[in-house]
Amino acid sequence: MSAVTRVANRSSISSLLARWRSLSSAVPPSGTNDNNNKSHAPPHFRLNPLPSPPPPNEKKRQVQWVFLGCPGVGKGTYASRLSNLLGVPHIATGDLVREELASSGPFSSELSEIVNRGQLVSDELIISLLSKKLAAGEANGETGFILDGFPRTIKQAEILEGVTDLDLVINLKLQEDILLEKCLGRRICNQCGGNFNIASINIKAEDGSPGIIMAPLLPPANCLSKLITRSDDTEAVVRERLRIYNEMTRPVEEFYRSRGKLLVFDLPGGIPESWPKLLHALNLDDYEDKQSAAA
C-alpha cells in the first residue's frame, strides 16, 4: 500500500485536538482568504508512489483523506468502502449530528432546528462533535481518518490545515438534477438502520454529455414495510442544501485545488460503474484484489 501510506510528520491526534480548540477562535472569518500567499498548483492531483521512510521507532500513520461533494452525491458510500478496504476509520459529520440528535444530548434541540431547515451546522458545533470523535479514536490507537462532510467552509478548512497535513481531498461530482432525485429517493429501515434508495435514474446521452444509469438500491423483503424517509429529504430542504453548498463549500474546492491536493472525480454511474474507476484514480487498482487474496 505504498501509494497511499504516509509517515506521521506533524502532530498526533492528541495535539491536533489541543491546537484545534486554540485555533478555532483565532482563524479569520469564513470567506476571508489571502490569495497572495497561496501557491497555484495544477488542478490535477497525482499520488506520490514513493513515501518517505519512517524515522527510527516512529509509527507510520494511516491515510488522512477528505471527501467533498454536494449532498446526496455518495460521499458516505465511497468513503465507507475505502474505509473498509484500507482499514481506516470513516468519520461522517452527518452521522455525528444524527447520533447527537438521537442521544438527546446538550446540542440536540439546536441541531434539530438547523437540520429541519436544511441549514449548515455551525463550525463550533461540528468541531465539538468531531473533536469528541477523534479523541475516542486516539484512545483506540487510531492514527488516520477519512472525513466525510468536513470541512464545509473556508474557516473549517483553515482550522484543519493548521493541525494536520491532509494527503488527499476527493471531490465527487454529479449533475444537480440527479442529486435531487437521489436525495428524494433515500430511505432508511427503522428496524435495522440500513440505508437504501428507491430512485431509478436513467439519463440519456445528449449534446456531448455521457448518459448516466443508476439502478435503485432496494431493501430486502423483510425491510420493505419498515422504510422511512429522512425528515430533511424534502424537495424544498434539498434544494436549500444544494444552494448553501454552492455558496459556502465550493470555495473549499478552490482552497484545496490551489494546494495541489484536490482530486476531482466525476461519477460515471452507480457503484458498479464508479467504484473500479475511483480505485484506478486513487492508484488502488490492484489493492482490492490483493486484500481478497490475503484474506
Side-chain angles (χ1 to χ4, degrees):
M1 180 182 166
S2 60
V4 293
T5 303
R6 291 192 53 180
V7 178
N9 58 4
R10 297 288 295 273
S11 59
S12 66
I13 290 180
S14 177
S15 58
L16 183 155
L17 296 176
R19 292 185 62 193
W20 197 314
R21 296 186 183 103
S22 65
L23 283 168
S24 62
S25 60
V27 295
S30 175
T32 62
N33 232 348
D34 186 359
N35 292 321
N36 296 326
N37 292 330
K38 285 186 177 180
S39 62
H40 295 281
H44 300 293
F45 185 91
R46 181 172 297 173
L47 292 175
N48 181 2
L50 295 173
S52 304
N57 301 322
E58 186 168 349
K59 181 183 177 181
K60 288 183 178 180
R61 73 157 165 82
Q62 298 166 306
V63 300
Q64 295 189 357
W65 289 356
V66 163
F67 267 85
L68 296 180
C70 289
V73 75
K75 298 184 296 295
T77 297
Y78 294 103
S80 178
R81 280 178 163 248
L82 286 169
S83 168
N84 293 330
L85 180 66
L86 302 176
V88 179
H90 169 213
I91 303 175
T93 53
D95 289 343
L96 296 182
V97 169
R98 284 185 282 275
E99 288 170 9
E100 181 69 17
L101 286 169
S103 70
S104 299
F107 306 120
S108 59
S109 296
E110 182 179 356
L111 284 171
S112 180
E113 293 182 10
I114 293 170
V115 169
N116 289 332
R117 290 195 301 265
Q119 297 177 337
L120 287 180
V121 179
S122 70
D123 293 339
E124 291 74 20
L125 280 177
I126 286 294
I127 289 169
S128 295
L129 296 174
L130 188 53
S131 297
K132 178 181 175 182
K133 183 71 172 180
L134 289 173
E138 182 198 15
N140 292 327
E142 295 169 357
T143 61
F145 49 77
I146 297 178
L147 286 179
D148 158 17
F150 185 94
R152 287 187 173 182
T153 65
I154 291 293
K155 178 180 177 181
Q156 291 176 356
E158 289 169 337
I159 293 172
L160 189 59
E161 184 179 57
V163 295
T164 191
D165 186 12
L166 291 177
D167 304 307
L168 181 66
V169 177
I170 304 161
N171 187 22
L172 300 182
K173 293 283 191 177
L174 197 59
Q175 61 193 63
E176 192 164 303
D177 56 336
I178 298 177
L179 288 170
L180 179 61
E181 194 170 345
K182 281 188 65 186
C183 285
L184 297 180
R186 290 194 292 200
R187 298 293 186 273
I188 302 171
C189 175
N190 64 5
Q191 181 171 319
C192 73
N195 289 281
F196 307 101
N197 201 303
I198 63 172
S200 180
I201 297 169
N202 188 349
I203 306 295
K204 295 182 179 180
E206 59 180 22
D207 298 328
S209 299
I212 293 181
I213 296 176
M214 292 184 171
L217 181 60
L218 299 175
N222 59 307
C223 292
L224 277 173
S225 63
K226 306 175 183 69
L227 296 184
I228 58 173
T229 303
R230 279 172 39 173
S231 61
D232 57 334
D233 277 347
T234 64
E235 182 170 350
V237 170
V238 171
R239 288 190 183 279
E240 177 66 5
R241 285 162 60 200
L242 292 172
R243 184 194 68 77
I244 292 174
Y245 179 88
N246 290 329
E247 180 181 307
M248 298 188 66
T249 308
R250 286 204 186 278
V252 178
E253 299 175 12
E254 297 305 319
F255 180 91
Y256 287 117
R257 179 179 283 112
S258 72
R259 285 151 174 77
K261 294 192 174 187
L262 187 71
L263 171 66
V264 177
F265 184 77
D266 291 294
L267 292 164
I271 294 173
E273 298 82 15
S274 300
W275 177 240
K277 292 183 179 181
L278 179 60
L279 291 180
H280 177 74
L282 294 171
N283 291 342
L284 293 173
D285 307 68
D286 301 325
Y287 192 75
E288 190 169 36
D289 293 336
K290 290 178 182 178
Q291 288 292 89
S292 298

